[in-house]
Amino acid sequence: MNTFNGTLDIYLASAGCGKTHQLMNIIDYHLKNGVPIDRIAFVTFTKKGAEVAQLRVAEQFGLDLRQLKHFRTIHSLAFRGCGASRDRMMDYAKYKDFGEKAGYDFGRLGLDANEGNDWREMQDQQLVTIEQLYRTNHKYCEQIMDDRVSYSELTRYIQLYQKYKHTFGYMDFTDLLEQYIANGLTEDVDIVCLDEMQDSSPLQWQLVFQAFSKARHVYAVGDVKQAVFTYSGASADTLLKLKGTQHMLDKSYRVPSRILDFAQTIVDEMELTDHSKCKAVHDGGFVEDITCLDELTERFDINKTYFFLARNKKFFKLFEDWCKEQGIPYCIKGEPVFSDTDKMEFRDGKTDGWDTAKLDFARACHSHGLFYPHPKINISTIHTVKGDEADVVVLLSDISRAVDSQLEMDPDSEHRVFYVAVTRAKEKLIIVQPQTRMYYPYLLM
């Protein structure tokens, strides 16, 4: 297995154990020992993670964001290294154009692989997802494709897709990773912090090994129990197989004991874990279940922050309907249901263009004194809130048919998703019993 030439420290952690805080301490140590910030790299899986790291370092060490040129995502690293341009990258419009030319129906191209792929109903837009998975994690792709996907159809798609990109000079982000590796590119830094590495694919790991082969010291941090991007190619076991000094961060500063104990029941179902046992710094917390959202009404505390979480966004309507009935504003994946423009129009009485339902909801929220403040409720999928926290998590146990299929063929991937969900709660976890016939059963044990 590839590894780094310099010293490697691996930090394995559970939810709320301060993984990023540990990396901030490492950066602080090296800055105090004379390493310039432009010789330090911080690379993580998501754009959100990279932006949070930039802001934390800039604030903590009094730096300008422009000094943090090596704080980025893996894809951003390849984008810069290959000198790519946005207008040549594949996007929604280009995929639609390709589909029209090649005879594919990409009418639902917005399908998120993390929402679940229903392999029993192979459709054209799913070829986009599986082609990328085939290139980033070939082994896992073959495992889940067995007897579920037509290899001949996939081969035809790959040939036509490659021809289209070549004809018009386009690239996708997997092409960038492959090009960076093929060109033998490296990064000129001394210290490297790799965050959330449990979500990286074999191809991304290959790039990282090459990019930072000249670094003096590499710190890799992650939690395999939170590897939720399997369907994007994540290889959760790679982190565990690295050859270096392994450390355990075993105290959760966010998740109280009762919720952490509940989370452990999900961990116990996993085949792949780092075998670490995490202890809660804070005793207490609450785990309870309700039969339907109506029971939430008397338990709701407007002074608390809430995540209303569902495995699939198809279930958002259940949460939205409850909020509208109660006259409580909310966010959808972090975006407030009432925009700043809406608030100004309501304040100024310029609501002639509003439909009746929207206006009635705004009036109900206003009557409760909740229209203008930022909503305390965030309705979201589990993947979207990874890395975030709330006082209370309200979690639907229902899943879609596609996720039910995934639970059958790759149960670990779903165990990790729901582990992430329950460990977002700082005070209380409320499980909503199934409203449909398909659900994640390990919430109800």
Side-chain angles (χ1 to χ4, degrees), residues 108-117 123 125-126 129 313:
R108 295 197 305 125
L109 189 58
L111 176 70
D112 182 352
N114 294 311
E115 289 281 307
N117 282 316
Q123 298 172 341
Q125 71 275 7
Q126 292 175 321
T129 298
K313 57 180 176 284

Side-chain angles (χ1 to χ4, degrees), residues 225 266-267 269-271 407 410-420 440 442:
K225 299 185 293 298
I266 297 176
V267 174
E269 298 296 326
M270 300 180 191
E271 291 185 11
L407 181 60
D410 184 14
D412 259 22
S413 66
E414 291 307 313
H415 296 328
R416 292 193 291 264
V417 172
F418 280 94
Y419 171 81
V420 167
Y440 179 73
Y442 303 97

